[in-house]
Amino acid sequence: MSILNVPSEAEATGLTAEIYEADIRSMGYVPSHTKAMSLNPEAHAIWESLTRAISSSLGLRRYELVTLAAAQAIGSSHCRLAHGKKSLTIIDEDHLCAIARDYRDAGLPPEEVAMMDYAVKLSTDAAGMNDDDAQRLRDAGFSDREIADITLAAAARNYFSRALLALAVELDVPQGVSPQLQDALLAPLPALGN
């Protein structure tokens, strides 16, 4: 249960009501994370604009893979489930389950594994990152713009996920996430090198 008192759909007004209505149109309900973050609706609207700018530049598949890796690295069940659901539009469920359990052994191209490894390191040891981390992405074929976008996607996920964790936001399981996919998405991250 969240430590916050959030307005219900019936109580929401102004920009908060607009944000709720957008989620109802796109998902059929207002997730707990939207309610919590919409307590500051202006910040939430800017967050949505930021993620659209990053994902449109990086591409939806890469954005979602980086997001899943960063969310898993910091233990964000909220974001793993929400973005697992979103990823079903671009990745079939069996492959997504394999990616969620161990992206390094899921048949992904090496450049996608490299960007997910980068997202994990950013999420677990950002202070330990150096030129070698960016060089590994460059060696995998990423441009400096793409490296910046991968960094922004992972860092943005850290911001949002850590806020949800700190506020003890209730966990929603989106409709359409099978028990098998849910189990895969909530599995712990395998150790590096495995």
Side-chain angles (χ1 to χ4, degrees):
M1 181 60 91
S2 176
I3 61 176
L4 302 173
N5 295 313
V6 298
S8 68
E9 291 86 339
E11 298 167 329
T13 60
L15 182 54
T16 300
E18 292 175 28
I19 293 167
Y20 282 18
E21 289 166 11
D23 274 3
I24 291 169
R25 280 192 307 275
S26 68
M27 294 182 279
Y29 73 107
V30 182
S32 298
H33 63 265
T34 295
K35 290 179 181 178
M37 299 307 270
S38 293
L39 284 170
N40 182 334
E42 296 80 11
H44 185 74
I46 290 169
W47 161 254
E48 291 291 326
S49 293
L50 174 65
T51 59
R52 277 192 304 274
I54 297 167
S55 66
S56 67
S57 178
L58 188 56
L60 186 58
R61 180 181 170 91
R62 287 179 173 176
Y63 176 80
E64 291 300 339
L65 290 173
V66 168
T67 294
L68 288 170
Q72 187 176 32
I74 61 175
S76 175
S77 299
H78 300 86
C79 294
R80 289 280 289 176
L81 289 170
H83 286 275
K85 168 70 173 172
K86 288 181 181 184
S87 295
L88 284 172
T89 63
I90 54 173
I91 302 170
D92 74 68
E93 183 171 333
D94 287 341
H95 195 204
L96 185 56
C97 282
I99 292 166
R101 290 196 189 282
D102 186 353
Y103 65 84
R104 292 178 204 97
D105 190 33
L108 291 173
E111 65 273 10
E112 289 182 345
V113 173
M115 71 178 187
M116 293 178 82
D117 280 343
Y118 182 92
V120 168
K121 185 167 182 186
L122 183 149
S123 302
T124 58
D125 187 22
M129 296 184 83
N130 57 46
D131 292 344
D132 292 341
D133 298 296
Q135 188 60 49
R136 276 190 281 284
L137 290 181
R138 195 171 285 112
D139 292 345
F142 291 103
S143 69
D144 284 355
R145 170 64 186 259
E146 290 168 325
I147 294 168
D149 287 337
I150 292 165
T151 304
L152 290 170
R157 184 54 40 204
N158 272 259
Y159 154 75
F160 199 80
S161 294
R162 290 177 191 280
L164 297 179
L165 292 168
L167 296 171
V169 173
E170 185 178 340
L171 181 63
D172 296 316
V173 178
Q175 292 181 343
V177 175
S178 71
Q180 296 81 8
L181 181 56
Q182 183 177 341
D183 287 347
L185 289 167
L186 298 179
L189 182 68
L192 283 172
N194 288 350

